[in-house]
Amino acid sequence: MELERFKELHARFFGKELPEEVLASEEYEAYSEAIHEDEACYTWATAEKLKSKGFDYGNYCCLMLADKVYESLDEDGEIRYGNPEVVINKWDEGLYGIPVHNGSATMVVINYCPWCGTRLSV
Ligand SMILES: [Zn+2]
């Protein structure tokens, strides 16, 4: 999908309660497919989301990691421990880890970004 077209649809669909007939429309289907399959659309939409939330994504190797770290935090910026939707944690020291959802606070520390392969630790 053309990014310009995607931006138009994003303005119409994003963050809104959409009626059933809109969700079932071809336009909406093409829009949600583009987020998942078109890298330019994904990158733009994710950057927009993080910007609107005031999340500083500039220091991350890629938007995937920035977005997953953003989603790992609650409204106060604290790590949401024990939440099965959280796939990665970042600590203040710049350490990254994958939470093991077994009821304890187990983490697997990782040294490379799972999405783009950049070395994470110093
Ligand atoms: Zn990355």
Side-chain angles (χ1 to χ4, degrees):
M1 179 181 291
E2 290 284 323
L3 186 55
E4 287 312 310
R5 172 85 183 120
F6 179 80
K7 288 179 184 178
E8 265 174 50
L9 294 174
H10 189 77
R12 278 168 49 195
F13 297 145
F14 185 71
K16 304 202 170 104
E17 285 270 345
L18 299 168
E20 204 55 45
E21 65 265 25
V22 174
L23 293 174
S25 69
E26 273 177 36
E27 265 187 330
Y28 185 81
E29 195 183 315
Y31 164 76
S32 53
E33 248 178 48
I35 291 191
H36 298 108
E37 286 164 22
D38 188 307
E39 205 182 335
C41 297
Y42 169 81
T43 301
W44 180 84
T46 305
E48 282 298 296
K49 178 182 105 180
L50 295 176
K51 257 188 263 173
S52 76
K53 306 282 185 189
F55 186 81
D56 181 14
Y57 60 88
N59 294 328
Y60 290 89
C61 50
C62 61
L63 279 167
M64 252 335 248
L65 179 62
D67 191 40
K68 296 300 176 197
V69 169
Y70 170 73
E71 286 177 6
S72 76
L73 305 173
D74 65 19
E75 309 84 60
D76 302 318
E78 299 294 327
I79 291 176
R80 296 156 61 200
Y81 286 110
N83 187 316
E85 284 174 21
V86 171
V87 296
I88 197 153
N89 290 135
K90 176 181 185 257
W91 293 275
D92 294 340
E93 311 85 69
L95 272 176
Y96 291 84
I98 295 172
V100 180
H101 298 292
N102 63 356
S104 77
T106 311
M107 299 280 164
V108 179
V109 173
I110 55 169
N111 298 317
Y112 294 87
C113 174
W115 293 281
C116 77
T118 299
R119 186 163 176 84
L120 296 169
S121 51
V122 216

